Amino acid sequence: MRLTILGCYSATPRTMTNPSAQVLEMRGHLFLIDCGEGTQVELRRNKIKFSRINHIFISHLHGDHFFGLPGLVSTFRLLGRENPLHIHGPKGIKEAITLLLKLGDSWTNYPLHFHELTSKDPETLLKLPELEVSTLPLDHRIYTNGFLFKEKPKERSLDVEAARARGIDRAYFRKLKQGLNVPDREGKEVDHREVTLDPPPTKSYAYCSDTAYMEALIPQIKGVDVLYHESTFLKSEEHLCEPTKHSSARQAASIAKAAEVNHLILGHYSTRYKSLELFQEEASEYFGQTHLAEDGKVFDF
Amino acid sequence: MRLTILGCYSATPRTMTNPSAQVLEMRGHLFLIDCGEGTQVELRRNKIKFSRINHIFISHLHGDHFFGLPGLVSTFRLLGRENPLHIHGPKGIKEAITLLLKLGDSWTNYPLHFHELTSKDPETLLKLPELEVSTLPLDHRIYTNGFLFKEKPKERSLDVEAARARGIDRAYFRKLKQGLNVPDREGKEVDHREVTLDPPPTKSYAYCSDTAYMEALIPQIKGVDVLYHESTFLKSEEHLCEPTKHSSARQAASIAKAAEVNHLILGHYSTRYKSLELFQEEASEYFGQTHLAEDGKVFDF
């Protein structure tokens, strides 16, 4: 599981800071999450192949999370894309993108599918053999979802020699890998655990931006490997969190701790602060495994 | 007159090349012309004060000329802008920008005025005491205008000592500066040229992008000081000009020569070419005073 941060700052793009966008690689799939202005340039800078992106997830329709999308959709066309592109985002996103394409008389020559979201309850957006993606409804000024990416368990690894020695016909190997008990040559049941090993543990990633402190999130992200939680402010500016519906680093860390996640990544920083270290210090008081998102940073988990 | 090139490449933004956007400073006014994705970052990089921009001119609604506009309009709000902003561009631009603001529930707190263009004939968009801006209808795949910025003549400079010596009452000084003849103390008419000097010559700037080779443009831009004319291709790819409605460097130079402009600036280059020098060489064969636009380059005329 690899996470590439393309942008992790709030509000407007600046010369040294990009608005929200990141690429999650999971089981060979590349997912683009949010798409602030300049995302297509950051994809190039980070040498991410455009053609590998088939699903884009947009949390909400504030400009710093989706004003890069019209340009990216257009660029896919110029690059000769043929594969379908799926865009998952709040209702309205289809009207916006299609209007912009219509005004430029620039229809895509590849299939463009919009999956518009309106539900305030979690829903599954994508089911693949290897993983699932579902929404995490968040508490922001406008309708907003985070996204939960969960690998499905891989098959158990079979010790072929051991299985043969135990007298199991190869016709049963597939069932063993699926964790089922099978008969040996004499028809006696063999516990699959005798000849298989547990699959590697599954990974999961939760993207939560933008949101106010929200305890209802905790059970939904319980035990995920990696939580990206926005921390626009420090606790010294926590009075700004309620009116703007953002979180502080302290609040992000409290959520991470209560949800017993393995790693917390902070991001969506206000540019009012001189140093990101302040976010790390504050969050680490409450949750040890805290990491800082930075534009261009790659996390391998 | 100062022209700052923020971006001068065609198609998509890349790590080293920005799409169309430029700032013209004329008689103390700053005009933003086109606004490709990333323009607000380039404004910052070039240290141009956002608050000095009150008029934005958009040539056409292809993404590489206006996908930076929604973000810029939003950033003006975040910066606390209060002055009205005027956006001049093709019909549809108002619907696009207002839809994006509506989706983000991010109305501007400053007055935003759209001046939508539909005419295929030249029209005056802005009349200020010091200058005028009018359209240059162009020949592109969708409705497109160039823009002509023309200073109005300044007043003549008065030699106050000479005027007094010639026996002219100071009540007449204003008329002299305006180029009118006035009476001396004895009532005898004085030729204003005896006591005034010609004002500095007026400057003019024509922005022509995107367009196919278009001879009808020549009389409209006759004798301008500076012509920015797109040259997406070289003459070796001139067969692509007609289907895409773009121009070659040779064609841009032919227009400059026929219109007897003082300076030609080339831009809107296709990124297929390895070196911009090829554009300069080709155009210079036909027109001597050829300059190359480059991102971040500043021209003082």
Side-chain angles (χ1 to χ4, degrees):
Chain A
M1 184 167 77
R2 165 172 287 195
L3 181 69
T4 304
I5 307 294
L6 304 177
C8 62
Y9 288 83
S10 68
T12 68
R14 292 166 189 264
T15 50
M16 302 298 285
T17 63
N18 299 312
S20 292
Q22 50 184 249
V23 173
L24 178 71
E25 181 168 0
M26 186 178 257
R27 292 272 178 94
H29 297 276
L30 247 57
F31 302 113
L32 177 62
I33 310 168
D34 279 341
C35 189
E37 185 175 349
T39 293
Q40 58 175 314
V41 173
E42 296 310 312
L43 285 170
R44 289 182 193 273
R45 202 187 308 278
N46 288 278
K47 303 200 188 315
I48 290 169
K49 246 184 132 178
F50 283 50
S51 60
R52 287 190 62 198
I53 297 171
N54 297 319
H55 290 270
I56 300 175
F57 298 89
I58 302 294
S59 62
H60 65 300
L61 299 184
H62 279 153
D64 58 330
H65 293 254
F66 99 111
F67 280 174
L69 189 56
L72 182 60
V73 166
S74 304
T75 292
F76 276 133
R77 181 179 63 88
L78 293 173
L79 295 177
R81 182 187 182 101
E82 293 180 356
N83 286 340
L85 179 68
H86 296 269
I87 296 176
H88 309 259
K91 186 163 170 56
I93 198 166
K94 179 178 181 176
E95 184 187 358
I97 299 297
T98 50
L99 173 62
L100 293 177
L101 297 179
K102 190 185 80 173
L103 289 174
D105 199 13
S106 308
W107 299 108
T108 62
N109 44 4
Y110 58 88
L112 183 56
H113 301 292
F114 291 93
H115 306 275
E116 293 199 312
L117 309 178
T118 54
S119 173
K120 292 186 174 175
D121 295 317
E123 56 182 336
T124 302
L125 302 182
L126 183 62
K127 283 186 184 198
L128 297 174
E130 309 86 8
L131 57 89
E132 277 191 15
V133 186
S134 50
T135 56
L136 299 166
L138 300 177
D139 177 18
H140 194 40
R141 302 196 300 278
I142 59 172
Y143 177 69
T144 303
N145 289 292
F147 301 103
L148 177 62
F149 301 78
K150 276 186 101 152
E151 288 185 359
K152 289 184 191 165
K154 286 185 180 168
E155 291 191 324
R156 302 180 64 80
S157 3
L158 175 66
D159 183 338
V160 175
E161 287 310 305
R164 280 186 183 137
R166 194 63 187 73
I168 302 171
D169 191 274
R170 57 175 297 161
Y172 289 110
F173 285 5
R174 175 117 207 113
K175 287 201 166 172
L176 285 169
K177 287 186 191 173
Q178 291 166 350
L180 299 169
N181 297 342
V182 300
D184 64 10
R185 258 189 299 268
E186 280 83 48
K188 195 176 151 212
E189 180 174 287
V190 181
D191 188 324
H192 66 275
R193 285 168 296 189
E194 283 183 38
V195 293
T196 60
L197 291 171
D198 286 346
T202 58
K203 298 279 174 65
S204 53
Y205 175 66
Y207 175 83
C208 299
S209 186
D210 298 352
T211 187
Y213 176 76
M214 186 182 163
E215 290 188 350
L217 198 54
I218 295 164
Q220 296 172 63
I221 59 173
K222 196 86 182 180
V224 298
D225 289 289
V226 184
L227 167 65
Y228 178 95
H229 194 293
E230 74 126 288
S231 58
T232 306
F233 299 112
L234 295 174
K235 66 181 174 197
S236 46
E237 279 69 43
E238 232 164 56
H239 57 284
L240 298 175
C241 288
E242 182 48 35
T244 62
K245 293 286 184 185
H246 284 301
S247 303
S248 67
R250 184 189 72 83
Q251 290 171 335
S254 304
I255 295 287
K257 188 179 181 191
E260 297 172 340
V261 308
N262 291 339
H263 297 274
L264 168 66
I265 301 177
L266 298 176
H268 201 266
Y269 317 110
S270 162
T271 51
R272 75 180 59 208
Y273 301 106
K274 289 288 164 267
S275 160
L276 296 189
E277 294 309 317
L278 301 169
F279 289 88
Q280 170 100 52
E281 283 169 24
E282 180 172 307
S284 296
E285 278 184 46
Y286 303 88
F287 185 78
Q289 286 300 310
T290 297
H291 311 267
L292 292 175
E294 289 180 53
D295 296 358
K297 198 164 173 178
V298 178
F299 294 94
D300 283 303
F301 292 102
Chain B
M1 183 165 79
R2 165 172 286 194
L3 181 69
T4 304
I5 308 294
L6 304 178
C8 62
Y9 288 83
S10 67
T12 67
R14 292 165 188 266
T15 49
M16 302 298 284
T17 63
N18 299 312
S20 293
Q22 48 184 250
V23 173
L24 178 70
E25 181 168 0
M26 187 179 255
R27 292 272 178 94
H29 297 275
L30 247 58
F31 302 113
L32 176 63
I33 309 169
D34 279 342
C35 189
E37 184 175 348
T39 294
Q40 58 174 315
V41 173
E42 296 310 312
L43 284 170
R44 288 182 195 272
R45 203 186 308 278
N46 288 278
K47 304 201 188 313
I48 290 168
K49 246 186 132 177
F50 283 50
S51 60
R52 286 190 62 199
I53 297 172
N54 297 319
H55 289 270
I56 299 176
F57 298 88
I58 301 293
S59 63
H60 65 300
L61 299 183
H62 278 154
D64 58 331
H65 293 253
F66 100 107
F67 279 176
L69 189 57
L72 182 58
V73 166
S74 304
T75 293
F76 275 133
R77 181 179 63 86
L78 293 173
L79 295 177
R81 182 188 181 100
E82 294 180 355
N83 287 340
L85 178 69
H86 297 268
I87 296 176
H88 309 259
K91 187 165 169 55
I93 198 167
K94 179 177 180 175
E95 185 187 357
I97 299 297
T98 51
L99 173 62
L100 293 176
L101 297 179
K102 189 185 82 174
L103 289 174
D105 199 13
S106 308
W107 298 109
T108 61
N109 45 2
Y110 57 88
L112 183 56
H113 300 290
F114 290 94
H115 305 274
E116 293 200 310
L117 308 178
T118 54
S119 174
K120 291 186 174 175
D121 296 315
E123 56 183 335
T124 301
L125 302 181
L126 183 62
K127 283 185 185 198
L128 297 175
E130 309 85 8
L131 57 88
E132 277 192 18
V133 187
S134 49
T135 57
L136 299 166
L138 299 177
D139 178 18
H140 194 41
R141 302 197 300 280
I142 59 172
Y143 177 70
T144 303
N145 289 292
F147 301 104
L148 178 61
F149 300 79
K150 278 185 99 152
E151 289 184 359
K152 289 184 191 165
K154 286 187 180 167
E155 290 191 328
R156 302 178 65 80
S157 5
L158 175 66
D159 183 339
V160 175
E161 287 311 303
R164 281 187 183 139
R166 193 64 185 72
I168 302 171
D169 192 275
R170 57 175 297 162
Y172 289 111
F173 285 3
R174 175 120 205 111
K175 288 199 165 173
L176 286 170
K177 287 186 193 172
Q178 291 166 349
L180 300 169
N181 297 342
V182 300
D184 66 8
R185 257 190 298 268
E186 278 84 46
K188 198 177 145 206
E189 181 175 287
V190 181
D191 188 326
H192 66 277
R193 284 168 297 189
E194 282 182 41
V195 293
T196 60
L197 290 171
D198 285 346
T202 58
K203 298 279 175 64
S204 52
Y205 174 67
Y207 174 83
C208 298
S209 186
D210 297 353
T211 188
Y213 177 75
M214 186 183 164
E215 291 189 348
L217 199 55
I218 296 165
Q220 296 171 62
I221 59 172
K222 197 84 181 180
V224 298
D225 289 290
V226 184
L227 167 65
Y228 178 97
H229 194 291
E230 74 128 289
S231 59
T232 305
F233 299 112
L234 295 174
K235 67 182 174 194
S236 47
E237 279 68 44
E238 231 163 58
H239 57 283
L240 299 174
C241 288
E242 182 47 34
T244 61
K245 294 287 185 184
H246 284 301
S247 303
S248 69
R250 184 190 71 84
Q251 290 171 334
S254 303
I255 296 287
K257 189 180 179 192
E260 297 173 338
V261 309
N262 292 338
H263 298 274
L264 168 65
I265 301 177
L266 298 177
H268 201 265
Y269 318 109
S270 163
T271 51
R272 74 181 58 209
Y273 302 106
K274 288 287 164 269
S275 160
L276 295 189
E277 295 308 317
L278 301 169
F279 290 88
Q280 170 101 52
E281 283 168 24
E282 179 172 307
S284 297
E285 278 184 46
Y286 303 87
F287 185 78
Q289 286 300 310
T290 297
H291 312 267
L292 292 175
E294 290 180 51
D295 296 358
K297 198 164 172 178
V298 177
F299 294 94
D300 283 302
F301 292 101

PDB file of all heavy atoms in Angstrom, chain B residues 113-127:
ATOM      1  N   HIS B 113     -18.846  41.042 -11.646  1.00  0.00           N
ATOM      2  CA  HIS B 113     -19.620  41.438 -12.825  1.00  0.00           C
ATOM      3  C   HIS B 113     -19.139  40.663 -14.041  1.00  0.00           C
ATOM      4  O   HIS B 113     -17.946  40.686 -14.358  1.00  0.00           O
ATOM      5  CB  HIS B 113     -19.459  42.937 -13.096  1.00  0.00           C
ATOM      6  CG  HIS B 113     -19.918  43.797 -11.969  1.00  0.00           C
ATOM      7  ND1 HIS B 113     -21.243  43.920 -11.632  1.00  0.00           N
ATOM      8  CD2 HIS B 113     -19.224  44.574 -11.097  1.00  0.00           C
ATOM      9  CE1 HIS B 113     -21.353  44.740 -10.595  1.00  0.00           C
ATOM     10  NE2 HIS B 113     -20.147  45.146 -10.242  1.00  0.00           N
ATOM     11  N   PHE B 114     -20.074  40.007 -14.697  1.00  0.00           N
ATOM     12  CA  PHE B 114     -19.732  39.299 -15.928  1.00  0.00           C
ATOM     13  C   PHE B 114     -20.157  40.132 -17.127  1.00  0.00           C
ATOM     14  O   PHE B 114     -21.256  40.688 -17.141  1.00  0.00           O
ATOM     15  CB  PHE B 114     -20.441  37.946 -15.977  1.00  0.00           C
ATOM     16  CG  PHE B 114     -19.906  36.965 -14.981  1.00  0.00           C
ATOM     17  CD1 PHE B 114     -20.494  36.837 -13.731  1.00  0.00           C
ATOM     18  CD2 PHE B 114     -18.805  36.184 -15.279  1.00  0.00           C
ATOM     19  CE1 PHE B 114     -19.988  35.939 -12.803  1.00  0.00           C
ATOM     20  CE2 PHE B 114     -18.297  35.287 -14.358  1.00  0.00           C
ATOM     21  CZ  PHE B 114     -18.894  35.162 -13.116  1.00  0.00           C
ATOM     22  N   HIS B 115     -19.289  40.214 -18.107  1.00  0.00           N
ATOM     23  CA  HIS B 115     -19.607  40.902 -19.359  1.00  0.00           C
ATOM     24  C   HIS B 115     -19.469  39.838 -20.451  1.00  0.00           C
ATOM     25  O   HIS B 115     -18.358  39.545 -20.898  1.00  0.00           O
ATOM     26  CB  HIS B 115     -18.646  42.065 -19.578  1.00  0.00           C
ATOM     27  CG  HIS B 115     -18.613  43.019 -18.414  1.00  0.00           C
ATOM     28  ND1 HIS B 115     -19.508  44.049 -18.282  1.00  0.00           N
ATOM     29  CD2 HIS B 115     -17.827  43.046 -17.321  1.00  0.00           C
ATOM     30  CE1 HIS B 115     -19.254  44.697 -17.148  1.00  0.00           C
ATOM     31  NE2 HIS B 115     -18.241  44.109 -16.550  1.00  0.00           N
ATOM     32  N   GLU B 116     -20.584  39.238 -20.801  1.00  0.00           N
ATOM     33  CA  GLU B 116     -20.537  38.105 -21.725  1.00  0.00           C
ATOM     34  C   GLU B 116     -20.545  38.574 -23.177  1.00  0.00           C
ATOM     35  O   GLU B 116     -21.298  39.477 -23.553  1.00  0.00           O
ATOM     36  CB  GLU B 116     -21.697  37.157 -21.446  1.00  0.00           C
ATOM     37  CG  GLU B 116     -21.556  36.480 -20.080  1.00  0.00           C
ATOM     38  CD  GLU B 116     -22.374  35.216 -19.962  1.00  0.00           C
ATOM     39  OE1 GLU B 116     -23.575  35.266 -20.295  1.00  0.00           O
ATOM     40  OE2 GLU B 116     -21.827  34.179 -19.539  1.00  0.00           O
ATOM     41  N   LEU B 117     -19.706  37.926 -23.962  1.00  0.00           N
ATOM     42  CA  LEU B 117     -19.498  38.347 -25.352  1.00  0.00           C
ATOM     43  C   LEU B 117     -20.147  37.343 -26.291  1.00  0.00           C
ATOM     44  O   LEU B 117     -20.036  36.134 -26.099  1.00  0.00           O
ATOM     45  CB  LEU B 117     -18.003  38.431 -25.645  1.00  0.00           C
ATOM     46  CG  LEU B 117     -17.197  39.272 -24.651  1.00  0.00           C
ATOM     47  CD1 LEU B 117     -15.722  39.245 -25.008  1.00  0.00           C
ATOM     48  CD2 LEU B 117     -17.717  40.704 -24.614  1.00  0.00           C
ATOM     49  N   THR B 118     -20.800  37.880 -27.321  1.00  0.00           N
ATOM     50  CA  THR B 118     -21.403  37.029 -28.350  1.00  0.00           C
ATOM     51  C   THR B 118     -21.162  37.583 -29.747  1.00  0.00           C
ATOM     52  O   THR B 118     -21.340  36.870 -30.732  1.00  0.00           O
ATOM     53  CB  THR B 118     -22.936  36.911 -28.147  1.00  0.00           C
ATOM     54  OG1 THR B 118     -23.476  38.237 -28.097  1.00  0.00           O
ATOM     55  CG2 THR B 118     -23.278  36.182 -26.861  1.00  0.00           C
ATOM     56  N   SER B 119     -20.755  38.834 -29.835  1.00  0.00           N
ATOM     57  CA  SER B 119     -20.656  39.483 -31.147  1.00  0.00           C
ATOM     58  C   SER B 119     -19.502  38.921 -31.964  1.00  0.00           C
ATOM     59  O   SER B 119     -18.429  38.619 -31.437  1.00  0.00           O
ATOM     60  CB  SER B 119     -20.460  40.987 -30.964  1.00  0.00           C
ATOM     61  OG  SER B 119     -20.219  41.583 -32.216  1.00  0.00           O
ATOM     62  N   LYS B 120     -19.748  38.801 -33.262  1.00  0.00           N
ATOM     63  CA  LYS B 120     -18.671  38.385 -34.151  1.00  0.00           C
ATOM     64  C   LYS B 120     -17.967  39.585 -34.771  1.00  0.00           C
ATOM     65  O   LYS B 120     -17.034  39.442 -35.560  1.00  0.00           O
ATOM     66  CB  LYS B 120     -19.230  37.457 -35.236  1.00  0.00           C
ATOM     67  CG  LYS B 120     -19.660  36.132 -34.610  1.00  0.00           C
ATOM     68  CD  LYS B 120     -20.095  35.097 -35.612  1.00  0.00           C
ATOM     69  CE  LYS B 120     -20.355  33.784 -34.875  1.00  0.00           C
ATOM     70  NZ  LYS B 120     -20.897  32.742 -35.753  1.00  0.00           N
ATOM     71  N   ASP B 121     -18.438  40.774 -34.411  1.00  0.00           N
ATOM     72  CA  ASP B 121     -17.784  42.002 -34.858  1.00  0.00           C
ATOM     73  C   ASP B 121     -17.024  42.614 -33.685  1.00  0.00           C
ATOM     74  O   ASP B 121     -17.385  42.395 -32.526  1.00  0.00           O
ATOM     75  CB  ASP B 121     -18.824  42.999 -35.363  1.00  0.00           C
ATOM     76  CG  ASP B 121     -19.543  42.461 -36.595  1.00  0.00           C
ATOM     77  OD1 ASP B 121     -18.857  41.935 -37.494  1.00  0.00           O
ATOM     78  OD2 ASP B 121     -20.785  42.556 -36.634  1.00  0.00           O
ATOM     79  N   PRO B 122     -16.010  43.399 -33.983  1.00  0.00           N
ATOM     80  CA  PRO B 122     -15.260  44.030 -32.890  1.00  0.00           C
ATOM     81  C   PRO B 122     -16.176  44.933 -32.063  1.00  0.00           C
ATOM     82  O   PRO B 122     -17.066  45.582 -32.618  1.00  0.00           O
ATOM     83  CB  PRO B 122     -14.212  44.874 -33.626  1.00  0.00           C
ATOM     84  CG  PRO B 122     -14.122  44.299 -34.996  1.00  0.00           C
ATOM     85  CD  PRO B 122     -15.469  43.734 -35.307  1.00  0.00           C
ATOM     86  N   GLU B 123     -15.973  44.940 -30.761  1.00  0.00           N
ATOM     87  CA  GLU B 123     -16.745  45.849 -29.908  1.00  0.00           C
ATOM     88  C   GLU B 123     -15.870  46.357 -28.777  1.00  0.00           C
ATOM     89  O   GLU B 123     -14.899  45.707 -28.389  1.00  0.00           O
ATOM     90  CB  GLU B 123     -18.003  45.160 -29.364  1.00  0.00           C
ATOM     91  CG  GLU B 123     -17.750  43.884 -28.603  1.00  0.00           C
ATOM     92  CD  GLU B 123     -19.043  43.199 -28.138  1.00  0.00           C
ATOM     93  OE1 GLU B 123     -20.070  43.878 -27.981  1.00  0.00           O
ATOM     94  OE2 GLU B 123     -18.994  41.974 -27.910  1.00  0.00           O
ATOM     95  N   THR B 124     -16.225  47.524 -28.288  1.00  0.00           N
ATOM     96  CA  THR B 124     -15.448  48.119 -27.197  1.00  0.00           C
ATOM     97  C   THR B 124     -15.952  47.568 -25.870  1.00  0.00           C
ATOM     98  O   THR B 124     -17.152  47.575 -25.605  1.00  0.00           O
ATOM     99  CB  THR B 124     -15.577  49.647 -27.224  1.00  0.00           C
ATOM    100  OG1 THR B 124     -15.103  50.100 -28.495  1.00  0.00           O
ATOM    101  CG2 THR B 124     -14.731  50.289 -26.139  1.00  0.00           C
ATOM    102  N   LEU B 125     -15.035  47.074 -25.056  1.00  0.00           N
ATOM    103  CA  LEU B 125     -15.417  46.451 -23.783  1.00  0.00           C
ATOM    104  C   LEU B 125     -15.239  47.393 -22.615  1.00  0.00           C
ATOM    105  O   LEU B 125     -15.933  47.297 -21.619  1.00  0.00           O
ATOM    106  CB  LEU B 125     -14.550  45.210 -23.523  1.00  0.00           C
ATOM    107  CG  LEU B 125     -14.589  44.112 -24.578  1.00  0.00           C
ATOM    108  CD1 LEU B 125     -13.708  42.947 -24.148  1.00  0.00           C
ATOM    109  CD2 LEU B 125     -16.023  43.648 -24.797  1.00  0.00           C
ATOM    110  N   LEU B 126     -14.277  48.299 -22.742  1.00  0.00           N
ATOM    111  CA  LEU B 126     -13.904  49.109 -21.591  1.00  0.00           C
ATOM    112  C   LEU B 126     -13.379  50.453 -22.083  1.00  0.00           C
ATOM    113  O   LEU B 126     -12.510  50.483 -22.960  1.00  0.00           O
ATOM    114  CB  LEU B 126     -12.808  48.364 -20.804  1.00  0.00           C
ATOM    115  CG  LEU B 126     -12.299  48.983 -19.520  1.00  0.00           C
ATOM    116  CD1 LEU B 126     -13.409  49.099 -18.492  1.00  0.00           C
ATOM    117  CD2 LEU B 126     -11.148  48.142 -18.968  1.00  0.00           C
ATOM    118  N   LYS B 127     -13.944  51.509 -21.524  1.00  0.00           N
ATOM    119  CA  LYS B 127     -13.454  52.856 -21.848  1.00  0.00           C
ATOM    120  C   LYS B 127     -13.038  53.514 -20.552  1.00  0.00           C
ATOM    121  O   LYS B 127     -13.869  53.754 -19.673  1.00  0.00           O
ATOM    122  CB  LYS B 127     -14.567  53.690 -22.489  1.00  0.00           C
ATOM    123  CG  LYS B 127     -14.848  53.367 -23.927  1.00  0.00           C
ATOM    124  CD  LYS B 127     -15.875  54.344 -24.499  1.00  0.00           C
ATOM    125  CE  LYS B 127     -16.250  53.931 -25.910  1.00  0.00           C
ATOM    126  NZ  LYS B 127     -16.895  55.004 -26.680  1.00  0.00           N
TER     127      LYS B 127
END
